[in-house]
């Protein structure tokens, strides 16, 4: 006789935070999912305070009230699936390579052989860039703090660490050049250049506006989708090429090594934008509006910095060419994102 008694479902022992899943979450998902405390389930507000407290109203306005919304931000996954262990391992190896290049050039006293134009370019463009990058670091940290998913928070957190690494590298080179080329003003003039040099003012204006773009979606678009791709092309690719063309191989190497961090930020940021557009097609218009606003500022910043690349080294790059290349880099990065045929998902509810 066959026993037809219905079997009682086995109780789920773990991973219930992921819902009705049929496969074991990855290590990356286990340590990342649901880790943003301000997004806990059944909450009345972001923080356990009066819902009308300034902190709660801030999150309500600039995260929950952002024009950039998705059906489920927790569907996002970092393409590199970074968690603390994998990030630290990768960056330890990257830093060892970078430090090796610095040491090798120091051993042969490479700074002594730099041309006057190369030193001037480093003094006016490279070493003052730490002020810009520190501003980028603050905006990235803000994006992570207000992000609507812990998966985005973690990705932004690692990019914040990348930008700190970049600031540290520029600061190290600043001190090294200050010692080896004391006549250059390097190590003493950067703040004045950042605040007063005409070529830097469009860039300073752009990053300062980004610092007061409180909506998390606009801050994300401004830095990760527009300013980052544009200015990184100027300060990594084009500065590196100009440095190499003028015999400064170390600056070219450092630019190449640090660009890997920028490329990783671009990858996860593009994935966030694609998720937003695929889940809610109306986000194309939201992102496009912000991209248009910030592209004008990014191009003005690229032109200002391009004037330094044109006039300072012995073999320069025309400022208009700098802008064109930076704009192409940004447009290549954004290509297809805002096109109506880039998503095959069915339109979802526009409520919320």
């Amino acid at each position: 006789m066959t026993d037809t008694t219905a079997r009682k479902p086995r109780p789920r022992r773990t991973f219930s935070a992921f819902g009705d899943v049929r496969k074991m979450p990855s290590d990356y998902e286990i340590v990342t999912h649901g880790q943003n405390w301000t997004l806990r389930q059944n909450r009345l507000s972001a923080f356990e305070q009066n819902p009308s407290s300034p902190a709660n109203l801030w999150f309500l306005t600039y995260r929950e009230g952002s024009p950039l919304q998705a059906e489920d931000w927790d569907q996002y996954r970092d393409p590199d699936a970074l968690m603390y262990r994998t990030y630290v391992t990768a960056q330890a190896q990257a830093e060892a390579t970078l430090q090796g290049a610095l040491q090798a050039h120091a051993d042969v006293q490479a700074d002594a052989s730099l041309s006057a134009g190369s030193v001037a370019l480093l003094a006016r463009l490279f070493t003052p860039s730490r002020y810009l990058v520190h501003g980028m670091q603050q905006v990235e940290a803000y994006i992570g703090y207000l992000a609507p998913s812990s998966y985005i928070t973690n990705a932004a957190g690692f990019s914040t660490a990348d930008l700190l690494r970049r600031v540290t590298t520029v600061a190290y080179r600043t001190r090294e050049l200050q010692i080896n080329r004391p006549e250059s003003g390097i190590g003493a003039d950067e703040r004045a250049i950042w605040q007063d040099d005409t070529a830097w003012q469009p860039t300073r204006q752009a990053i300062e506006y980004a610092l007061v773009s409180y909506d998390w979606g606009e801050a994300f678009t401004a830095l990760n989708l527009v300013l980052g791709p544009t200015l990184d092309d100027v300060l990594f690719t084009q500065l590196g090429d100009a440095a190499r063309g003028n015999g400064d191989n170390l600056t070219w190497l450092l630019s190449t090594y640090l660009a890997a961090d920028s490329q990783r930020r671009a990858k996860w940021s593009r994935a966030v934008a694609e998720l937003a557009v695929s889940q809610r097609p109306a986000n194309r218009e939201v992102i496009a509006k912000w991209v248009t606003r910030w592209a004008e500022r990014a191009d003005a910043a690229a032109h200002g910095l391009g004037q330094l690349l044109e006039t300072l080294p012995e073999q320069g790059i025309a400022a208009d060419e700098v802008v064109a290349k930076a704009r192409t880099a940004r447009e290549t990065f954004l290509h297809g994102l805002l096109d109506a045929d880039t998503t095959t998902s069915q339109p979802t509810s526009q409520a919320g």
Side-chain angles (χ1 to χ4, degrees):
M1 181 176 179
T2 303
D3 183 5
T4 59
T5 304
R7 294 185 178 181
K8 184 178 181 181
R10 294 176 59 185
R12 185 182 292 113
R13 296 184 178 181
T14 187
F15 309 131
S16 59
F18 291 89
D20 188 17
V21 296
R22 299 304 177 191
K23 67 176 183 178
M24 181 174 179
S26 66
D27 288 351
Y28 159 70
E29 291 172 319
I30 291 171
V31 301
T32 307
H33 191 86
Q35 295 303 304
N36 189 330
W37 183 79
T38 66
L39 292 162
R40 64 198 182 282
Q41 293 183 350
N42 302 318
R43 60 191 171 88
L44 295 176
S45 55
F47 300 99
E48 292 184 347
Q49 319 173 343
N50 188 319
S52 62
S53 69
N56 281 323
L57 291 177
W58 190 278
F59 275 73
L60 181 65
T61 303
Y62 298 121
R63 184 177 67 190
E64 276 75 14
S66 172
L68 188 66
Q69 297 291 331
E71 301 305 319
D72 183 6
W73 286 112
D74 277 342
Q75 292 298 311
Y76 171 76
R77 296 294 184 271
D78 176 2
D80 291 313
L82 280 183
M83 49 187 175
Y84 182 78
R85 173 174 52 81
T86 55
Y87 176 80
V88 169
T89 300
Q91 290 302 76
Q93 296 171 348
E95 189 65 14
T97 301
L98 187 148
Q99 291 297 324
L102 287 169
Q103 188 61 54
H105 283 76
D107 289 343
V108 298
Q109 299 181 345
D111 286 344
S113 62
L114 290 175
S115 68
S118 292
V119 174
L121 186 61
L122 291 168
R124 292 275 301 283
L125 184 58
F126 178 76
T127 59
S129 71
R130 69 181 185 270
Y131 289 94
L132 165 65
V133 180
H134 183 58
M136 295 171 69
Q137 178 190 347
Q138 293 178 74
V139 178
E140 195 69 71
Y142 180 80
I143 293 167
Y145 187 58
L146 255 71
S149 169
S150 55
Y151 289 99
I152 303 174
T153 294
N154 278 21
F158 292 130
S159 286
T160 302
D162 291 340
L163 290 164
L164 175 59
R165 174 177 178 243
R166 183 171 167 185
V167 170
T168 302
T169 301
V170 175
Y172 182 93
R173 275 298 285 153
T174 299
R175 178 56 177 159
E176 197 170 44
L177 288 161
Q178 183 183 35
I179 294 171
N180 296 330
R181 302 298 293 259
E183 79 289 352
S184 65
I186 292 176
D189 298 341
E190 283 83 11
R191 182 173 181 177
I193 291 171
W194 170 250
Q195 292 181 333
D196 301 319
D197 192 313
T198 302
W200 271 102
Q201 297 320 294
T203 299
R204 185 163 74 94
Q205 183 185 63
I207 196 63
E208 289 181 354
Y209 273 124
L211 284 163
V212 293
S213 294
Y214 300 133
D215 183 279
W216 92 269
E218 181 170 7
F220 167 77
T221 302
L223 181 65
N224 290 15
L225 301 186
V226 181
L227 293 178
T230 305
L231 296 179
D232 283 348
D233 182 76
V234 176
L235 293 171
F236 284 146
T237 305
Q238 299 196 58
L239 172 59
D241 289 345
R244 192 183 190 189
N246 286 273
D248 181 4
N249 289 326
L250 178 56
T251 298
W252 169 69
L253 281 172
L254 296 180
S255 299
T256 301
Y257 294 151
L258 292 173
D261 295 345
S262 173
Q263 292 160 5
R264 186 171 58 250
R265 183 187 70 234
K267 188 191 301 184
W268 73 256
S269 298
R270 172 71 189 228
V272 169
E274 288 178 344
L275 175 77
V277 169
S278 67
Q279 289 195 359
R280 184 171 290 201
N283 281 326
R284 289 193 193 92
E285 183 179 349
V286 174
I287 296 174
K289 179 179 178 181
W290 286 331
V291 166
T292 299
R293 176 187 303 168
W294 286 93
E296 182 177 348
R297 293 169 179 163
D299 288 344
H303 187 268
L305 301 183
Q307 292 175 326
L308 300 178
L309 282 167
E310 179 177 4
T311 59
L312 294 177
E314 285 81 3
Q315 298 182 46
I317 307 171
D320 289 343
E321 183 180 349
V322 171
V323 177
K325 288 182 176 179
R327 184 186 298 120
T328 297
R330 179 182 72 241
E331 291 176 349
T332 299
F333 167 65
L334 293 172
H335 178 70
L337 175 64
L338 305 179
D339 297 340
D341 60 351
T342 57
T343 174
T344 57
S345 300
Q346 294 297 318
T348 52
S349 170
Q350 301 301 301

